[in-house]
């Protein structure tokens, strides 16, 4: 992945991947908590 970004100069992929990873962490972290109904209602 890093070589693809370097060769193609596709720097926009970095923030997208970071955002998706953060979103996945929030969803997985709130799965068993009281916040789960509120997080899932956003989507």
């Amino acid at each position: 992945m890093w070589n693809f970004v370097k060769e193609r100069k596709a720097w926009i992929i970095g923030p997208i991947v970071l955002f998706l990873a953060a979103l996945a962490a929030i969803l997985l972290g709130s799965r068993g908590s009281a916040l789960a109904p509120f997080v899932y209602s956003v989507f």
Side-chain angles (χ1 to χ4, degrees):
M1 177 92 174
W2 178 249
N3 288 333
F4 173 80
V5 171
K6 261 180 27 182
E7 288 176 15
R8 305 275 188 225
K9 305 287 190 261
W11 298 112
I12 192 68
I13 293 175
I16 292 171
V17 170
L18 289 176
F19 174 75
L20 290 176
L23 185 63
I26 290 170
L27 288 176
L28 290 175
S30 68
R31 194 166 74 175
S33 72
L35 293 175
F38 301 109
V39 171
Y40 291 126
S41 67
V42 171
F43 300 103

PDB file of all heavy atoms in Angstrom:
ATOM      1  N   MET A   1       0.832  -1.193   0.000  1.00  0.00           N
ATOM      2  CA  MET A   1       0.000   0.000   0.000  1.00  0.00           C
ATOM      3  C   MET A   1       0.876   1.255   0.000  1.00  0.00           C
ATOM      4  O   MET A   1       0.585   2.199  -0.694  1.00  0.00           O
ATOM      5  CB  MET A   1      -0.907  -0.064   1.224  1.00  0.00           C
ATOM      6  CG  MET A   1      -1.781   1.117   1.411  1.00  0.00           C
ATOM      7  SD  MET A   1      -3.337   0.833   0.622  1.00  0.00           S
ATOM      8  CE  MET A   1      -4.207   2.263   1.123  1.00  0.00           C
ATOM      9  N   TRP A   2       1.919   1.231   0.829  1.00  0.00           N
ATOM     10  CA  TRP A   2       2.785   2.409   0.906  1.00  0.00           C
ATOM     11  C   TRP A   2       3.481   2.676  -0.426  1.00  0.00           C
ATOM     12  O   TRP A   2       3.625   3.825  -0.842  1.00  0.00           O
ATOM     13  CB  TRP A   2       3.804   2.229   2.023  1.00  0.00           C
ATOM     14  CG  TRP A   2       4.746   3.379   2.129  1.00  0.00           C
ATOM     15  CD1 TRP A   2       6.064   3.368   1.838  1.00  0.00           C
ATOM     16  CD2 TRP A   2       4.429   4.714   2.517  1.00  0.00           C
ATOM     17  NE1 TRP A   2       6.598   4.610   2.034  1.00  0.00           N
ATOM     18  CE2 TRP A   2       5.616   5.468   2.443  1.00  0.00           C
ATOM     19  CE3 TRP A   2       3.269   5.361   2.900  1.00  0.00           C
ATOM     20  CZ2 TRP A   2       5.670   6.810   2.758  1.00  0.00           C
ATOM     21  CZ3 TRP A   2       3.321   6.711   3.215  1.00  0.00           C
ATOM     22  CH2 TRP A   2       4.509   7.416   3.146  1.00  0.00           C
ATOM     23  N   ASN A   3       3.912   1.627  -1.117  1.00  0.00           N
ATOM     24  CA  ASN A   3       4.563   1.808  -2.424  1.00  0.00           C
ATOM     25  C   ASN A   3       3.584   2.382  -3.448  1.00  0.00           C
ATOM     26  O   ASN A   3       3.960   3.208  -4.273  1.00  0.00           O
ATOM     27  CB  ASN A   3       5.129   0.484  -2.916  1.00  0.00           C
ATOM     28  CG  ASN A   3       6.346   0.064  -2.135  1.00  0.00           C
ATOM     29  OD1 ASN A   3       7.059   0.901  -1.592  1.00  0.00           O
ATOM     30  ND2 ASN A   3       6.572  -1.229  -2.063  1.00  0.00           N
ATOM     31  N   PHE A   4       2.329   1.947  -3.396  1.00  0.00           N
ATOM     32  CA  PHE A   4       1.324   2.487  -4.305  1.00  0.00           C
ATOM     33  C   PHE A   4       1.142   3.982  -4.086  1.00  0.00           C
ATOM     34  O   PHE A   4       1.096   4.761  -5.036  1.00  0.00           O
ATOM     35  CB  PHE A   4      -0.011   1.762  -4.102  1.00  0.00           C
ATOM     36  CG  PHE A   4      -1.153   2.366  -4.867  1.00  0.00           C
ATOM     37  CD1 PHE A   4      -1.305   2.093  -6.215  1.00  0.00           C
ATOM     38  CD2 PHE A   4      -2.059   3.198  -4.247  1.00  0.00           C
ATOM     39  CE1 PHE A   4      -2.351   2.651  -6.931  1.00  0.00           C
ATOM     40  CE2 PHE A   4      -3.105   3.758  -4.952  1.00  0.00           C
ATOM     41  CZ  PHE A   4      -3.245   3.478  -6.299  1.00  0.00           C
ATOM     42  N   VAL A   5       1.064   4.384  -2.818  1.00  0.00           N
ATOM     43  CA  VAL A   5       0.880   5.810  -2.505  1.00  0.00           C
ATOM     44  C   VAL A   5       2.098   6.607  -2.952  1.00  0.00           C
ATOM     45  O   VAL A   5       1.958   7.698  -3.508  1.00  0.00           O
ATOM     46  CB  VAL A   5       0.613   5.993  -0.992  1.00  0.00           C
ATOM     47  CG1 VAL A   5       0.643   7.454  -0.601  1.00  0.00           C
ATOM     48  CG2 VAL A   5      -0.722   5.373  -0.617  1.00  0.00           C
ATOM     49  N   LYS A   6       3.296   6.070  -2.730  1.00  0.00           N
ATOM     50  CA  LYS A   6       4.512   6.781  -3.127  1.00  0.00           C
ATOM     51  C   LYS A   6       4.611   6.929  -4.636  1.00  0.00           C
ATOM     52  O   LYS A   6       4.953   7.996  -5.145  1.00  0.00           O
ATOM     53  CB  LYS A   6       5.742   6.042  -2.603  1.00  0.00           C
ATOM     54  CG  LYS A   6       6.277   6.631  -1.346  1.00  0.00           C
ATOM     55  CD  LYS A   6       7.499   5.953  -0.781  1.00  0.00           C
ATOM     56  CE  LYS A   6       8.376   5.239  -1.741  1.00  0.00           C
ATOM     57  NZ  LYS A   6       9.506   4.575  -1.102  1.00  0.00           N
ATOM     58  N   GLU A   7       4.340   5.864  -5.365  1.00  0.00           N
ATOM     59  CA  GLU A   7       4.505   5.898  -6.818  1.00  0.00           C
ATOM     60  C   GLU A   7       3.431   6.730  -7.500  1.00  0.00           C
ATOM     61  O   GLU A   7       3.706   7.452  -8.453  1.00  0.00           O
ATOM     62  CB  GLU A   7       4.483   4.480  -7.370  1.00  0.00           C
ATOM     63  CG  GLU A   7       5.727   3.690  -7.040  1.00  0.00           C
ATOM     64  CD  GLU A   7       5.642   2.260  -7.527  1.00  0.00           C
ATOM     65  OE1 GLU A   7       4.763   1.965  -8.358  1.00  0.00           O
ATOM     66  OE2 GLU A   7       6.458   1.440  -7.071  1.00  0.00           O
ATOM     67  N   ARG A   8       2.200   6.611  -7.053  1.00  0.00           N
ATOM     68  CA  ARG A   8       1.085   7.298  -7.702  1.00  0.00           C
ATOM     69  C   ARG A   8       0.827   8.691  -7.142  1.00  0.00           C
ATOM     70  O   ARG A   8      -0.023   9.402  -7.642  1.00  0.00           O
ATOM     71  CB  ARG A   8      -0.190   6.480  -7.549  1.00  0.00           C
ATOM     72  CG  ARG A   8      -0.072   5.072  -8.058  1.00  0.00           C
ATOM     73  CD  ARG A   8      -0.338   5.031  -9.530  1.00  0.00           C
ATOM     74  NE  ARG A   8      -0.403   3.647  -9.950  1.00  0.00           N
ATOM     75  CZ  ARG A   8       0.187   3.176 -11.017  1.00  0.00           C
ATOM     76  NH1 ARG A   8       0.867   3.968 -11.792  1.00  0.00           N
ATOM     77  NH2 ARG A   8       0.086   1.904 -11.327  1.00  0.00           N
ATOM     78  N   LYS A   9       1.524   9.056  -6.089  1.00  0.00           N
ATOM     79  CA  LYS A   9       1.326  10.345  -5.428  1.00  0.00           C
ATOM     80  C   LYS A   9      -0.132  10.515  -4.996  1.00  0.00           C
ATOM     81  O   LYS A   9      -0.712  11.583  -5.106  1.00  0.00           O
ATOM     82  CB  LYS A   9       1.737  11.510  -6.327  1.00  0.00           C
ATOM     83  CG  LYS A   9       3.137  11.443  -6.863  1.00  0.00           C
ATOM     84  CD  LYS A   9       4.160  11.724  -5.792  1.00  0.00           C
ATOM     85  CE  LYS A   9       5.533  11.900  -6.374  1.00  0.00           C
ATOM     86  NZ  LYS A   9       6.375  10.754  -6.290  1.00  0.00           N
ATOM     87  N   ALA A  10      -0.720   9.438  -4.503  1.00  0.00           N
ATOM     88  CA  ALA A  10      -2.118   9.430  -4.088  1.00  0.00           C
ATOM     89  C   ALA A  10      -2.203   9.673  -2.584  1.00  0.00           C
ATOM     90  O   ALA A  10      -2.572   8.800  -1.811  1.00  0.00           O
ATOM     91  CB  ALA A  10      -2.773   8.112  -4.465  1.00  0.00           C
ATOM     92  N   TRP A  11      -1.856  10.870  -2.152  1.00  0.00           N
ATOM     93  CA  TRP A  11      -1.791  11.176  -0.727  1.00  0.00           C
ATOM     94  C   TRP A  11      -3.168  11.292  -0.094  1.00  0.00           C
ATOM     95  O   TRP A  11      -3.283  11.299   1.138  1.00  0.00           O
ATOM     96  CB  TRP A  11      -0.995  12.443  -0.498  1.00  0.00           C
ATOM     97  CG  TRP A  11       0.410  12.297  -0.964  1.00  0.00           C
ATOM     98  CD1 TRP A  11       0.979  12.934  -2.028  1.00  0.00           C
ATOM     99  CD2 TRP A  11       1.418  11.438  -0.429  1.00  0.00           C
ATOM    100  NE1 TRP A  11       2.278  12.528  -2.177  1.00  0.00           N
ATOM    101  CE2 TRP A  11       2.579  11.610  -1.212  1.00  0.00           C
ATOM    102  CE3 TRP A  11       1.450  10.537   0.626  1.00  0.00           C
ATOM    103  CZ2 TRP A  11       3.748  10.920  -0.953  1.00  0.00           C
ATOM    104  CZ3 TRP A  11       2.625   9.848   0.873  1.00  0.00           C
ATOM    105  CH2 TRP A  11       3.755  10.044   0.092  1.00  0.00           C
ATOM    106  N   ILE A  12      -4.215  11.382  -0.882  1.00  0.00           N
ATOM    107  CA  ILE A  12      -5.567  11.477  -0.325  1.00  0.00           C
ATOM    108  C   ILE A  12      -5.990  10.164   0.315  1.00  0.00           C
ATOM    109  O   ILE A  12      -6.894  10.124   1.145  1.00  0.00           O
ATOM    110  CB  ILE A  12      -6.561  11.921  -1.427  1.00  0.00           C
ATOM    111  CG1 ILE A  12      -7.906  12.309  -0.829  1.00  0.00           C
ATOM    112  CG2 ILE A  12      -6.765  10.818  -2.442  1.00  0.00           C
ATOM    113  CD1 ILE A  12      -7.876  13.539  -0.006  1.00  0.00           C
ATOM    114  N   ILE A  13      -5.326   9.071  -0.030  1.00  0.00           N
ATOM    115  CA  ILE A  13      -5.698   7.758   0.513  1.00  0.00           C
ATOM    116  C   ILE A  13      -5.379   7.678   2.009  1.00  0.00           C
ATOM    117  O   ILE A  13      -6.104   7.034   2.758  1.00  0.00           O
ATOM    118  CB  ILE A  13      -4.985   6.643  -0.275  1.00  0.00           C
ATOM    119  CG1 ILE A  13      -5.534   6.609  -1.693  1.00  0.00           C
ATOM    120  CG2 ILE A  13      -5.154   5.290   0.396  1.00  0.00           C
ATOM    121  CD1 ILE A  13      -4.824   5.647  -2.601  1.00  0.00           C
ATOM    122  N   GLY A  14      -4.333   8.329   2.456  1.00  0.00           N
ATOM    123  CA  GLY A  14      -3.925   8.281   3.860  1.00  0.00           C
ATOM    124  C   GLY A  14      -5.009   8.735   4.823  1.00  0.00           C
ATOM    125  O   GLY A  14      -5.376   7.994   5.738  1.00  0.00           O
ATOM    126  N   PRO A  15      -5.535   9.947   4.666  1.00  0.00           N
ATOM    127  CA  PRO A  15      -6.594  10.395   5.578  1.00  0.00           C
ATOM    128  C   PRO A  15      -7.863   9.539   5.493  1.00  0.00           C
ATOM    129  O   PRO A  15      -8.539   9.343   6.507  1.00  0.00           O
ATOM    130  CB  PRO A  15      -6.883  11.823   5.119  1.00  0.00           C
ATOM    131  CG  PRO A  15      -5.659  12.262   4.428  1.00  0.00           C
ATOM    132  CD  PRO A  15      -5.071  11.036   3.809  1.00  0.00           C
ATOM    133  N   ILE A  16      -8.155   9.017   4.322  1.00  0.00           N
ATOM    134  CA  ILE A  16      -9.336   8.161   4.181  1.00  0.00           C
ATOM    135  C   ILE A  16      -9.155   6.886   4.994  1.00  0.00           C
ATOM    136  O   ILE A  16     -10.064   6.453   5.714  1.00  0.00           O
ATOM    137  CB  ILE A  16      -9.607   7.851   2.696  1.00  0.00           C
ATOM    138  CG1 ILE A  16     -10.033   9.120   1.970  1.00  0.00           C
ATOM    139  CG2 ILE A  16     -10.658   6.763   2.554  1.00  0.00           C
ATOM    140  CD1 ILE A  16     -10.122   8.976   0.473  1.00  0.00           C
ATOM    141  N   VAL A  17      -7.978   6.281   4.902  1.00  0.00           N
ATOM    142  CA  VAL A  17      -7.704   5.056   5.657  1.00  0.00           C
ATOM    143  C   VAL A  17      -7.731   5.339   7.158  1.00  0.00           C
ATOM    144  O   VAL A  17      -8.283   4.551   7.931  1.00  0.00           O
ATOM    145  CB  VAL A  17      -6.353   4.453   5.212  1.00  0.00           C
ATOM    146  CG1 VAL A  17      -5.915   3.332   6.142  1.00  0.00           C
ATOM    147  CG2 VAL A  17      -6.443   3.961   3.784  1.00  0.00           C
ATOM    148  N   LEU A  18      -7.157   6.451   7.581  1.00  0.00           N
ATOM    149  CA  LEU A  18      -7.168   6.804   9.000  1.00  0.00           C
ATOM    150  C   LEU A  18      -8.589   7.037   9.506  1.00  0.00           C
ATOM    151  O   LEU A  18      -8.944   6.605  10.608  1.00  0.00           O
ATOM    152  CB  LEU A  18      -6.315   8.046   9.245  1.00  0.00           C
ATOM    153  CG  LEU A  18      -4.817   7.847   9.116  1.00  0.00           C
ATOM    154  CD1 LEU A  18      -4.085   9.169   9.295  1.00  0.00           C
ATOM    155  CD2 LEU A  18      -4.334   6.834  10.126  1.00  0.00           C
ATOM    156  N   PHE A  19      -9.413   7.699   8.702  1.00  0.00           N
ATOM    157  CA  PHE A  19     -10.795   7.943   9.097  1.00  0.00           C
ATOM    158  C   PHE A  19     -11.559   6.632   9.222  1.00  0.00           C
ATOM    159  O   PHE A  19     -12.302   6.431  10.186  1.00  0.00           O
ATOM    160  CB  PHE A  19     -11.478   8.861   8.078  1.00  0.00           C
ATOM    161  CG  PHE A  19     -12.939   9.035   8.336  1.00  0.00           C
ATOM    162  CD1 PHE A  19     -13.382   9.835   9.372  1.00  0.00           C
ATOM    163  CD2 PHE A  19     -13.881   8.386   7.549  1.00  0.00           C
ATOM    164  CE1 PHE A  19     -14.736   9.990   9.623  1.00  0.00           C
ATOM    165  CE2 PHE A  19     -15.229   8.528   7.784  1.00  0.00           C
ATOM    166  CZ  PHE A  19     -15.664   9.334   8.824  1.00  0.00           C
ATOM    167  N   LEU A  20     -11.391   5.737   8.263  1.00  0.00           N
ATOM    168  CA  LEU A  20     -12.094   4.453   8.324  1.00  0.00           C
ATOM    169  C   LEU A  20     -11.625   3.612   9.505  1.00  0.00           C
ATOM    170  O   LEU A  20     -12.432   2.921  10.140  1.00  0.00           O
ATOM    171  CB  LEU A  20     -11.902   3.697   7.006  1.00  0.00           C
ATOM    172  CG  LEU A  20     -12.629   4.287   5.799  1.00  0.00           C
ATOM    173  CD1 LEU A  20     -12.285   3.502   4.539  1.00  0.00           C
ATOM    174  CD2 LEU A  20     -14.129   4.301   6.025  1.00  0.00           C
ATOM    175  N   ALA A  21     -10.338   3.664   9.817  1.00  0.00           N
ATOM    176  CA  ALA A  21      -9.820   2.922  10.971  1.00  0.00           C
ATOM    177  C   ALA A  21     -10.380   3.491  12.268  1.00  0.00           C
ATOM    178  O   ALA A  21     -10.748   2.733  13.180  1.00  0.00           O
ATOM    179  CB  ALA A  21      -8.297   2.966  10.973  1.00  0.00           C
ATOM    180  N   ALA A  22     -10.461   4.815  12.366  1.00  0.00           N
ATOM    181  CA  ALA A  22     -11.030   5.434  13.569  1.00  0.00           C
ATOM    182  C   ALA A  22     -12.506   5.092  13.701  1.00  0.00           C
ATOM    183  O   ALA A  22     -12.994   4.814  14.804  1.00  0.00           O
ATOM    184  CB  ALA A  22     -10.829   6.950  13.514  1.00  0.00           C
ATOM    185  N   LEU A  23     -13.228   5.105  12.599  1.00  0.00           N
ATOM    186  CA  LEU A  23     -14.650   4.757  12.624  1.00  0.00           C
ATOM    187  C   LEU A  23     -14.849   3.314  13.055  1.00  0.00           C
ATOM    188  O   LEU A  23     -15.740   3.012  13.858  1.00  0.00           O
ATOM    189  CB  LEU A  23     -15.253   4.992  11.237  1.00  0.00           C
ATOM    190  CG  LEU A  23     -16.746   4.801  11.101  1.00  0.00           C
ATOM    191  CD1 LEU A  23     -17.491   5.804  11.961  1.00  0.00           C
ATOM    192  CD2 LEU A  23     -17.156   4.967   9.647  1.00  0.00           C
ATOM    193  N   ALA A  24     -14.024   2.423  12.564  1.00  0.00           N
ATOM    194  CA  ALA A  24     -14.113   1.015  12.958  1.00  0.00           C
ATOM    195  C   ALA A  24     -13.808   0.847  14.444  1.00  0.00           C
ATOM    196  O   ALA A  24     -14.480   0.075  15.135  1.00  0.00           O
ATOM    197  CB  ALA A  24     -13.150   0.176  12.124  1.00  0.00           C
ATOM    198  N   ALA A  25     -12.827   1.580  14.952  1.00  0.00           N
ATOM    199  CA  ALA A  25     -12.496   1.498  16.377  1.00  0.00           C
ATOM    200  C   ALA A  25     -13.638   2.004  17.236  1.00  0.00           C
ATOM    201  O   ALA A  25     -13.952   1.420  18.282  1.00  0.00           O
ATOM    202  CB  ALA A  25     -11.220   2.295  16.655  1.00  0.00           C
ATOM    203  N   ILE A  26     -14.297   3.077  16.812  1.00  0.00           N
ATOM    204  CA  ILE A  26     -15.438   3.605  17.564  1.00  0.00           C
ATOM    205  C   ILE A  26     -16.576   2.604  17.576  1.00  0.00           C
ATOM    206  O   ILE A  26     -17.194   2.350  18.611  1.00  0.00           O
ATOM    207  CB  ILE A  26     -15.886   4.960  16.975  1.00  0.00           C
ATOM    208  CG1 ILE A  26     -14.838   6.024  17.277  1.00  0.00           C
ATOM    209  CG2 ILE A  26     -17.243   5.368  17.530  1.00  0.00           C
ATOM    210  CD1 ILE A  26     -15.080   7.323  16.543  1.00  0.00           C
ATOM    211  N   LEU A  27     -16.870   2.032  16.422  1.00  0.00           N
ATOM    212  CA  LEU A  27     -17.967   1.066  16.350  1.00  0.00           C
ATOM    213  C   LEU A  27     -17.678  -0.185  17.169  1.00  0.00           C
ATOM    214  O   LEU A  27     -18.559  -0.698  17.867  1.00  0.00           O
ATOM    215  CB  LEU A  27     -18.252   0.695  14.896  1.00  0.00           C
ATOM    216  CG  LEU A  27     -18.922   1.768  14.065  1.00  0.00           C
ATOM    217  CD1 LEU A  27     -19.047   1.308  12.618  1.00  0.00           C
ATOM    218  CD2 LEU A  27     -20.287   2.115  14.619  1.00  0.00           C
ATOM    219  N   LEU A  28     -16.450  -0.684  17.108  1.00  0.00           N
ATOM    220  CA  LEU A  28     -16.105  -1.879  17.874  1.00  0.00           C
ATOM    221  C   LEU A  28     -16.019  -1.580  19.363  1.00  0.00           C
ATOM    222  O   LEU A  28     -16.378  -2.418  20.193  1.00  0.00           O
ATOM    223  CB  LEU A  28     -14.787  -2.469  17.376  1.00  0.00           C
ATOM    224  CG  LEU A  28     -14.842  -3.106  15.991  1.00  0.00           C
ATOM    225  CD1 LEU A  28     -13.452  -3.549  15.562  1.00  0.00           C
ATOM    226  CD2 LEU A  28     -15.802  -4.280  15.985  1.00  0.00           C
ATOM    227  N   GLY A  29     -15.549  -0.393  19.702  1.00  0.00           N
ATOM    228  CA  GLY A  29     -15.423  -0.029  21.109  1.00  0.00           C
ATOM    229  C   GLY A  29     -16.750   0.225  21.783  1.00  0.00           C
ATOM    230  O   GLY A  29     -16.903   0.005  22.986  1.00  0.00           O
ATOM    231  N   SER A  30     -17.733   0.675  21.046  1.00  0.00           N
ATOM    232  CA  SER A  30     -19.023   1.002  21.647  1.00  0.00           C
ATOM    233  C   SER A  30     -20.030  -0.133  21.504  1.00  0.00           C
ATOM    234  O   SER A  30     -21.197   0.034  21.839  1.00  0.00           O
ATOM    235  CB  SER A  30     -19.590   2.268  21.007  1.00  0.00           C
ATOM    236  OG  SER A  30     -19.937   2.002  19.666  1.00  0.00           O
ATOM    237  N   ARG A  31     -19.587  -1.258  21.022  1.00  0.00           N
ATOM    238  CA  ARG A  31     -20.505  -2.364  20.758  1.00  0.00           C
ATOM    239  C   ARG A  31     -21.173  -2.867  22.034  1.00  0.00           C
ATOM    240  O   ARG A  31     -22.345  -3.175  22.032  1.00  0.00           O
ATOM    241  CB  ARG A  31     -19.755  -3.499  20.068  1.00  0.00           C
ATOM    242  CG  ARG A  31     -20.665  -4.525  19.458  1.00  0.00           C
ATOM    243  CD  ARG A  31     -19.925  -5.412  18.526  1.00  0.00           C
ATOM    244  NE  ARG A  31     -19.098  -6.353  19.286  1.00  0.00           N
ATOM    245  CZ  ARG A  31     -18.401  -7.313  18.726  1.00  0.00           C
ATOM    246  NH1 ARG A  31     -18.395  -7.434  17.426  1.00  0.00           N
ATOM    247  NH2 ARG A  31     -17.686  -8.133  19.446  1.00  0.00           N
ATOM    248  N   GLY A  32     -20.438  -2.942  23.121  1.00  0.00           N
ATOM    249  CA  GLY A  32     -21.006  -3.474  24.347  1.00  0.00           C
ATOM    250  C   GLY A  32     -21.394  -2.414  25.353  1.00  0.00           C
ATOM    251  O   GLY A  32     -21.761  -2.731  26.471  1.00  0.00           O
ATOM    252  N   SER A  33     -21.313  -1.156  24.990  1.00  0.00           N
ATOM    253  CA  SER A  33     -21.577  -0.099  25.957  1.00  0.00           C
ATOM    254  C   SER A  33     -22.982   0.469  25.791  1.00  0.00           C
ATOM    255  O   SER A  33     -23.730   0.091  24.902  1.00  0.00           O
ATOM    256  CB  SER A  33     -20.550   1.018  25.801  1.00  0.00           C
ATOM    257  OG  SER A  33     -20.803   1.734  24.623  1.00  0.00           O
ATOM    258  N   ALA A  34     -23.308   1.408  26.651  1.00  0.00           N
ATOM    259  CA  ALA A  34     -24.614   2.059  26.605  1.00  0.00           C
ATOM    260  C   ALA A  34     -24.713   3.038  25.439  1.00  0.00           C
ATOM    261  O   ALA A  34     -25.808   3.498  25.114  1.00  0.00           O
ATOM    262  CB  ALA A  34     -24.877   2.784  27.919  1.00  0.00           C
ATOM    263  N   LEU A  35     -23.592   3.364  24.824  1.00  0.00           N
ATOM    264  CA  LEU A  35     -23.598   4.301  23.698  1.00  0.00           C
ATOM    265  C   LEU A  35     -23.969   3.645  22.380  1.00  0.00           C
ATOM    266  O   LEU A  35     -24.179   4.333  21.393  1.00  0.00           O
ATOM    267  CB  LEU A  35     -22.225   4.955  23.544  1.00  0.00           C
ATOM    268  CG  LEU A  35     -21.794   5.888  24.665  1.00  0.00           C
ATOM    269  CD1 LEU A  35     -20.374   6.353  24.426  1.00  0.00           C
ATOM    270  CD2 LEU A  35     -22.726   7.064  24.772  1.00  0.00           C
ATOM    271  N   ALA A  36     -24.025   2.336  22.353  1.00  0.00           N
ATOM    272  CA  ALA A  36     -24.260   1.605  21.107  1.00  0.00           C
ATOM    273  C   ALA A  36     -25.529   2.051  20.374  1.00  0.00           C
ATOM    274  O   ALA A  36     -25.478   2.273  19.163  1.00  0.00           O
ATOM    275  CB  ALA A  36     -24.289   0.110  21.366  1.00  0.00           C
ATOM    276  N   PRO A  37     -26.682   2.208  21.024  1.00  0.00           N
ATOM    277  CA  PRO A  37     -27.866   2.635  20.271  1.00  0.00           C
ATOM    278  C   PRO A  37     -27.707   4.004  19.616  1.00  0.00           C
ATOM    279  O   PRO A  37     -28.228   4.250  18.529  1.00  0.00           O
ATOM    280  CB  PRO A  37     -28.969   2.673  21.324  1.00  0.00           C
ATOM    281  CG  PRO A  37     -28.494   1.804  22.417  1.00  0.00           C
ATOM    282  CD  PRO A  37     -27.009   1.892  22.407  1.00  0.00           C
ATOM    283  N   PHE A  38     -26.944   4.890  20.255  1.00  0.00           N
ATOM    284  CA  PHE A  38     -26.760   6.231  19.700  1.00  0.00           C
ATOM    285  C   PHE A  38     -25.786   6.225  18.527  1.00  0.00           C
ATOM    286  O   PHE A  38     -25.979   6.943  17.558  1.00  0.00           O
ATOM    287  CB  PHE A  38     -26.279   7.181  20.795  1.00  0.00           C
ATOM    288  CG  PHE A  38     -27.231   7.271  21.948  1.00  0.00           C
ATOM    289  CD1 PHE A  38     -26.922   6.710  23.168  1.00  0.00           C
ATOM    290  CD2 PHE A  38     -28.454   7.889  21.792  1.00  0.00           C
ATOM    291  CE1 PHE A  38     -27.795   6.776  24.219  1.00  0.00           C
ATOM    292  CE2 PHE A  38     -29.356   7.955  22.836  1.00  0.00           C
ATOM    293  CZ  PHE A  38     -29.034   7.406  24.059  1.00  0.00           C
ATOM    294  N   VAL A  39     -24.746   5.405  18.619  1.00  0.00           N
ATOM    295  CA  VAL A  39     -23.768   5.320  17.532  1.00  0.00           C
ATOM    296  C   VAL A  39     -24.427   4.700  16.308  1.00  0.00           C
ATOM    297  O   VAL A  39     -24.271   5.161  15.187  1.00  0.00           O
ATOM    298  CB  VAL A  39     -22.534   4.514  17.963  1.00  0.00           C
ATOM    299  CG1 VAL A  39     -21.626   4.240  16.779  1.00  0.00           C
ATOM    300  CG2 VAL A  39     -21.782   5.250  19.050  1.00  0.00           C
ATOM    301  N   TYR A  40     -25.200   3.630  16.493  1.00  0.00           N
ATOM    302  CA  TYR A  40     -25.811   2.949  15.369  1.00  0.00           C
ATOM    303  C   TYR A  40     -26.939   3.769  14.744  1.00  0.00           C
ATOM    304  O   TYR A  40     -27.243   3.601  13.586  1.00  0.00           O
ATOM    305  CB  TYR A  40     -26.311   1.571  15.779  1.00  0.00           C
ATOM    306  CG  TYR A  40     -25.199   0.611  16.076  1.00  0.00           C
ATOM    307  CD1 TYR A  40     -25.120  -0.074  17.283  1.00  0.00           C
ATOM    308  CD2 TYR A  40     -24.181   0.412  15.148  1.00  0.00           C
ATOM    309  CE1 TYR A  40     -24.085  -0.942  17.548  1.00  0.00           C
ATOM    310  CE2 TYR A  40     -23.145  -0.451  15.411  1.00  0.00           C
ATOM    311  CZ  TYR A  40     -23.098  -1.121  16.604  1.00  0.00           C
ATOM    312  OH  TYR A  40     -22.062  -1.964  16.865  1.00  0.00           O
ATOM    313  N   SER A  41     -27.539   4.661  15.522  1.00  0.00           N
ATOM    314  CA  SER A  41     -28.604   5.488  14.942  1.00  0.00           C
ATOM    315  C   SER A  41     -28.042   6.540  13.984  1.00  0.00           C
ATOM    316  O   SER A  41     -28.756   7.042  13.130  1.00  0.00           O
ATOM    317  CB  SER A  41     -29.408   6.166  16.054  1.00  0.00           C
ATOM    318  OG  SER A  41     -28.606   7.109  16.733  1.00  0.00           O
ATOM    319  N   VAL A  42     -26.767   6.865  14.105  1.00  0.00           N
ATOM    320  CA  VAL A  42     -26.131   7.821  13.196  1.00  0.00           C
ATOM    321  C   VAL A  42     -26.046   7.230  11.802  1.00  0.00           C
ATOM    322  O   VAL A  42     -26.197   7.916  10.807  1.00  0.00           O
ATOM    323  CB  VAL A  42     -24.734   8.214  13.721  1.00  0.00           C
ATOM    324  CG1 VAL A  42     -23.970   9.026  12.694  1.00  0.00           C
ATOM    325  CG2 VAL A  42     -24.848   8.952  15.029  1.00  0.00           C
ATOM    326  N   PHE A  43     -25.839   5.915  11.723  1.00  0.00           N
ATOM    327  CA  PHE A  43     -25.682   5.265  10.430  1.00  0.00           C
ATOM    328  C   PHE A  43     -26.989   4.667   9.992  1.00  0.00           C
ATOM    329  O   PHE A  43     -27.155   4.094   9.027  1.00  0.00           O
ATOM    330  CB  PHE A  43     -24.597   4.197  10.519  1.00  0.00           C
ATOM    331  CG  PHE A  43     -23.271   4.777  10.923  1.00  0.00           C
ATOM    332  CD1 PHE A  43     -22.807   4.628  12.217  1.00  0.00           C
ATOM    333  CD2 PHE A  43     -22.530   5.508  10.037  1.00  0.00           C
ATOM    334  CE1 PHE A  43     -21.612   5.184  12.593  1.00  0.00           C
ATOM    335  CE2 PHE A  43     -21.332   6.060  10.399  1.00  0.00           C
ATOM    336  CZ  PHE A  43     -20.873   5.899  11.686  1.00  0.00           C
TER     337      PHE A  43
END
